[in-house]
Amino acid sequence: MQDPVLILGASGTIGTAIARHLHGAGRHVLAHGSRPSDGLAALAGDLGTTPSVFDVTDEDAVAAAMADLTAAHGRLSGLVYAVATPFPHKLTHRTDWSVFQRQLDTQLKGLHLTLSDSRPLLAAHEEEARVIVLSTEFMLGQPPVKIAPYLAAKAAMTSYAQVIAQEWLKAGIRVHLLAPGMVRSALTGDMPDEYLDQVAEGMPEKMLTRAQDVADVAGFLMTPAADTLYGTLVPVSRAARR
């Protein structure tokens, strides 16, 4: 059996789309979620695997999960970091620091722990392994208001991934970064539909970015044709370029 691709955050809207896309392309896909859910169980069933459930911010839990993956598979051909945590949309000065900390833990700490512990599995892949880190299109232009915790964490994550992309190349691991546009998901769940519809109306195509748009580009980045894009923040957005 081929070495699997681990999708961290597969229970989310974008993670699910990427998992299904790669599975449809014939890849062996493993689905992760931070907690058990019917959606995660259904996805894993469709993928023909058992879901992996652990907290990416818990050092011991991550180490144990990677030890289990090593025992079960020995190698990974790829990893996608699509973990996300909802946050209250408030003005920055009215946002408690705990919200910032949670975002930093989910994005930066979680990425660091999972990449560090999965590196031996990725390096053991006989060909080049590939990692995809989900950032945001707001790293490429003027950011909107009321999402400072999310943006601060994504900025830290993006810089981290760009450094890792250089450091890991000699180990045969290519690290890619995706910058999705606004997608209807848990992160936008507390935004009124009227607001999202208004945002979409202002787009050139009168629509928000779709999870499938992101999955399509992720599928491309998992191929050798995308090798020259390592470490580059690749936009996937229905919005006009700023």
Side-chain angles (χ1 to χ4, degrees), residues 9 12 14 23 32 39 43 77 99 112 116 132 168 204 229 234-236:
I14 293 178
H23 177 69
H32 156 272
L43 173 63
S77 64
V99 179
H112 175 66
S116 296
I132 297 176
W168 283 16
L229 294 175
V234 179
V236 186

Side-chain angles (χ1 to χ4, degrees), residues 14 17 61 69 73 87 96-97 115 119 121 131 136 144 147 150 153 155 159 193-194 222 233 240:
I14 293 178
L69 286 173
H73 304 285
F87 57 92
D96 189 82
W97 171 252
L115 285 191
R119 187 180 187 278
L121 288 160
V131 173
T136 171
I147 61 170
Y150 176 75
S159 295
D193 287 340
E194 293 80 4
M222 279 290 180
L233 193 56

